[in-house]
């Protein structure tokens, strides 16, 4: 069994750290102003590997690209959007990523749930340690 606490703006107290398994951060970049790696951090008393970052994209221009424009570029130098950023961060810093209102991605030009499926693949890419 897992005990998972979900939060949006007010972070839970670090006093509960030993009583829970994970925190789900409803990061929703458009609503919280999170648009870069430097704007993310674990709440006081928690470590980043306890956090699952979630994005929503169900309306406006962000529904066709996987969230909102991220200030940091993708590894290939292209524009990166928040869902992809959360997937990439789940490889190195955070426990995972998720989405809310995923139906906004169903009718994407490149195929059903294109952004979500691509980000699942990104999160599952093997991480190569330096010196290997």
């Amino acid at each position: 069994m897992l005990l998972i606490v979900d939060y949006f703006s007010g972070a839970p107290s670090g006093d509960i750290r030993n009583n829970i398994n994970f925190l789900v951060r409803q990061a929703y970049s458009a609503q919280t102003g999170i648009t870069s790696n430097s704007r993310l951090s674990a709440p006081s008393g928690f470590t980043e590997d306890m956090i699952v970052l979630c994005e929503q994209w169900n309306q406006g221009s962000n529904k066709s690209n996987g969230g909102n424009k991220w200030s940091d570029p993708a590894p290939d130098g292209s524009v990166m959007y928040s869902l992809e950023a959360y997937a990439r961060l789940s490889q190195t810093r955070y426990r995972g990523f998720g989405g809310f209102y995923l139906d906004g991605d169903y009718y994407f030009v490149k195929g059903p749930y294109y952004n979500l499926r691509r980000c699942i693949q990104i999160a599952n890419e093997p991480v190569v340690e330096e010196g290997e």
Side-chain angles (χ1 to χ4, degrees), residues 8-9 15 19 24 32 35 50 60 70 78 90 93 113 121 131:
F8 179 65
S9 59
D15 296 341
N19 299 316
V24 173
T32 58
T35 57
M50 294 180 74
W70 202 249
S78 65
S90 73
R93 289 173 49 191
Y113 298 108
Q121 290 174 338

Side-chain angles (χ1 to χ4, degrees), residues 14-91:
D15 296 341
I16 67 169
R17 183 181 195 276
N18 294 327
N19 299 316
I20 67 167
N21 300 94
F22 301 106
L23 287 176
V24 173
R25 168 100 193 254
Q26 297 175 25
Y28 306 164
S29 62
Q31 296 175 33
T32 58
I34 297 172
T35 57
S36 71
N37 297 351
S38 63
R39 299 285 311 265
L40 285 169
S41 62
S44 179
F46 296 93
T47 57
E48 290 176 334
D49 67 343
M50 294 180 74
I51 312 292
V52 175
L53 299 170
C54 287
E55 179 60 286
Q56 73 162 342
W57 72 96
N58 65 322
Q59 53 191 317
S61 61
N62 68 0
K63 81 179 197 179
S64 65
N65 53 32
N68 292 285
K69 189 174 179 182
W70 202 249
S71 64
D72 307 308
D76 66 1
S78 65
V79 173
M80 184 165 52
Y81 294 90
S82 48
L83 188 69
E84 179 181 346
Y86 295 167
R88 291 188 183 286
L89 287 167
S90 73
Q91 288 186 310

Side-chain angles (χ1 to χ4, degrees), residues 106-119:
Y106 182 77
Y107 294 106
F108 192 69
V109 174
K110 294 182 180 180
Y113 298 108
Y114 170 79
N115 294 298
L116 181 61
R117 293 169 6 139
R118 186 173 59 84
C119 289

